């Protein structure tokens, strides 16, 4: 290559290096990204992301049956102190008296849920029943059914029942002992994918 | 300048350009990152430990149930006023802040009583945080051989 041509090539290569150096410098400046990510507390339409709860409108969802020979009609009551607890009262008088309470659990959130078997609790007394599947308080035996479904997807509902029956082995049949008040509760967790 | 020197300079410049090209190419790779913003719900009992055992009160076992929001406490309490105090830790490992909706106990032993402290309805556990509270089980009656508590606890949380 002639010397003149080499001079031109050298100048051209120097120009390329210069341009690349400027571009290189621009790219190697520290890149800083400032970003704030916010986990939305609510989903579309203002729905809570996690909202699994009793249908608290169903305060009359119970069926009363009077035992044969009974003279006094059994009575019952349902209240919902919170989204995840219910308080039920049963006033039974004779063997054969029964109340069946029906509870509806609904998923109003945006996350699918898995429900655990509902639990019964006596908040002001002692469960004298040795059977783990039932609960006895005063002269009333309570038994909770299995859930209709343990999977509760968004906008879904499921139900379970609690049956109160008069203890056939009751020895002190008084108006005070014929009344029992217990708590019904459930727990839920996010469903695994 | 001699041709030899010019040739050397050209080779050097070409080498420099080659190296810069490689570096340039690596810097222009797309920068991408993803952030998972999917909300998740995960509040659970993380741990139950013994805080103290008084007057020969003795822990037998404290069990967290499969739903991770229920527990059972069994303690041997043979002397009157003997007690066992448990420390319960609840952790929020989800992305959604949680509020305590209910704390319920069910007692199967009429000879014991129980107390709980440092937790109230409405308490909030923010995402990533935890709350500690205590459950104390006490023999309320006279000395009894083989007096064992059987106390269930259920916790219910809702979206703040």
């Amino acid at each position: 290559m002639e010397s003149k041509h080499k001079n031109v090539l050298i100048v051209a290569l120097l120009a390329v290096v210069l341009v690349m150096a400027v571009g290189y410098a621009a790219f190697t400046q520290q890149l800083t990204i400032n970003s704030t990510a916010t986990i939305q507390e609510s989903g579309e339409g203002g729905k809570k992301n996690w909202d699994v709860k009793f249908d608290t409108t169903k305060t009359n969802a119970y069926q009363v049956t009077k035992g044969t020979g009974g003279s006094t009609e059994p009575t019952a009551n349902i209240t919902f102190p919170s989204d995840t607890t219910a308080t039920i009262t049963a006033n039974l008088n004779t063997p054969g008296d029964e109340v069946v309470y029906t509870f509806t659990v609904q998923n109003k959130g945006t996350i699918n849920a898995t429900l655990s078997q509902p639990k019964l609790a006596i908040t002001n007394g002692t469960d004298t029943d040795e059977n783990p599947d039932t609960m006895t308080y005063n002269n009333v035996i309570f038994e909770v059914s299995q859930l209709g479904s343990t999977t509760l997807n968004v906008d879904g509902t499921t139900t379970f029942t609690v049956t109160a029956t008069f203890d056939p082995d009751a020895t002190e049949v008084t108006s005070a002992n014929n009344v029992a008040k217990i708590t019904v509760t459930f727990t839920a967790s996010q469903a695994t994918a | 300048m001699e041709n030899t020197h010019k040739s050397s300079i050209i080779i050097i410049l070409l080498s420099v350009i080659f190296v810069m090209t490689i570096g340039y190419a690596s810097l222009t790779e797309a920068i991408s990152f993803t952030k998972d913003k999917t909300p998740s719900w995960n509040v659970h009992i993380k741990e139950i430990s013994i805080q103290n055992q008084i007057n020969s009160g003795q822990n037998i076992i404290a069990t967290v149930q499969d739903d991770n929001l229920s527990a059972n406490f069994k303690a041997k309490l043979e002397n009157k006023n003997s007690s066992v105090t448990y420390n319960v830790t609840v952790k929020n490992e989800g992305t959604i802040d949680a509020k305590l909706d209910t704390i319920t106990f069910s007692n199967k032993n009429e000879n014991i009583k129980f107390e709980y402290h440092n937790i109230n309805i409405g308490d909030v556990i923010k995402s990533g945080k935890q709350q500690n509270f205590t459950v104390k089980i006490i023999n309320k009656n006279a000395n009894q051989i083989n007096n064992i508590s059987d106390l269930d606890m259920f916790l219910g949380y809702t979206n703040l």
Side-chain angles (χ1 to χ4, degrees):
Chain A
M1 186 184 291
E2 292 183 11
S3 179
K4 184 178 178 181
H5 291 160
K6 285 186 178 179
N7 290 340
V8 172
L9 181 58
I10 289 172
V11 169
L13 290 174
L14 282 171
V16 169
V17 169
L18 180 64
V19 170
M20 291 184 72
V22 170
Y24 198 87
F27 270 102
T28 56
Q29 285 182 358
Q30 185 175 3
L31 183 65
T32 303
I33 299 175
N34 292 316
S35 173
T36 301
T38 303
I39 305 299
Q40 291 185 339
E41 289 295 333
S42 60
E44 183 179 336
K47 291 175 69 171
K48 288 184 178 180
N49 283 313
W50 183 258
D51 197 8
V52 180
K53 58 189 177 184
F54 279 123
D55 181 344
T56 59
T57 65
K58 298 187 183 298
T59 55
N60 294 316
Y62 55 85
Q63 183 68 40
V64 176
T65 303
K66 187 171 72 174
T68 303
S71 60
T72 305
E73 192 79 12
T75 60
N77 182 254
I78 302 176
T79 59
F80 294 96
S82 72
D83 287 345
T84 58
T85 59
T87 300
I88 58 175
T89 305
N91 189 342
L92 310 179
N93 304 290
T94 58
D97 283 357
E98 179 183 271
V99 181
V100 180
Y101 306 82
T102 300
F103 295 94
T104 301
V105 183
Q106 51 190 3
N107 186 348
K108 294 293 191 182
T110 63
I111 301 172
N112 293 336
T114 297
L115 300 182
S116 297
Q117 176 63 10
K119 307 290 197 311
L120 305 179
I122 300 174
T123 53
N124 292 310
T126 307
D127 175 16
T128 59
D129 200 325
E130 294 183 353
N131 186 338
D133 297 325
T134 59
M135 173 170 284
T136 300
Y137 185 33
N138 286 344
N139 293 335
V140 183
I141 300 173
F142 296 91
E143 183 171 10
V144 60
S145 73
Q146 296 295 311
L147 283 162
S149 171
T150 57
T151 299
L152 195 57
N153 289 334
V154 171
D155 293 327
T157 63
T158 189
T159 61
F160 65 93
T161 62
V162 175
T163 302
T165 55
F166 189 87
D167 184 357
D169 298 325
T171 55
E172 293 184 35
V173 182
T174 65
S175 57
N177 286 346
N178 290 349
V179 176
K181 184 177 182 180
I182 68 167
T183 297
V184 183
T185 187
F186 71 90
T187 57
S189 58
Q190 178 166 347
T192 53
Chain B
M1 189 183 293
E2 293 181 9
N3 270 347
T4 304
H5 289 162
K6 289 181 182 178
S7 298
S8 299
I9 291 172
I10 290 169
I11 291 172
I12 290 172
L13 288 172
L14 286 171
S15 300
V16 169
I17 290 171
F18 178 73
V19 171
M20 291 181 75
T21 300
I22 293 175
Y24 198 86
S26 66
L27 283 174
T28 56
E29 283 182 4
I31 298 174
S32 65
F33 61 92
T34 59
K35 178 142 180 79
D36 184 6
K37 299 185 182 179
T38 304
S40 66
W41 179 263
N42 186 2
V43 185
H44 59 274
I45 298 174
K46 180 182 177 185
E47 183 184 27
I48 300 178
S49 60
I50 301 168
Q51 189 171 82
N52 60 53
Q53 301 174 103
I54 305 291
N55 195 16
S56 300
Q58 183 180 4
N59 167 59
I60 296 177
I61 187 167
T63 310
V64 179
Q65 307 301 318
D66 290 343
D67 62 1
N68 293 313
L69 285 170
S70 306
N72 177 266
F73 301 89
K74 285 187 169 58
K76 182 182 284 188
L77 303 165
E78 296 186 319
N79 299 335
K80 186 176 181 182
N81 294 326
S82 56
S83 69
V84 177
T85 300
Y86 297 89
N87 187 56
V88 182
T89 302
V90 178
K91 185 159 187 182
N92 185 351
E93 295 194 75
T95 61
I96 304 169
D97 295 343
K99 179 177 67 174
L100 182 66
D101 183 66
T102 180
I103 176 168
T104 308
F105 289 85
S106 185
N107 176 24
K108 286 183 175 285
N109 183 342
E110 60 183 355
N111 296 314
I112 70 110
K113 61 181 179 179
F114 62 92
E115 305 169 354
Y116 60 93
H117 300 281
N118 300 320
I119 187 169
N120 297 288
I121 301 298
D123 283 353
V124 173
I125 307 179
K126 288 190 172 293
S127 171
K129 302 298 184 183
Q130 64 187 35
Q131 179 175 11
N132 296 313
F133 64 96
T134 60
V135 176
K136 182 177 183 181
I137 306 176
I138 309 161
N139 180 1
K140 66 178 183 179
N141 290 332
N143 294 351
Q144 293 176 297
I145 302 297
N146 291 327
N147 182 37
I148 297 174
S149 70
D150 189 357
L151 181 69
D152 290 323
M153 177 185 74
F154 315 113
L155 302 174
Y157 286 87
T158 57
N159 199 138
L160 178 62

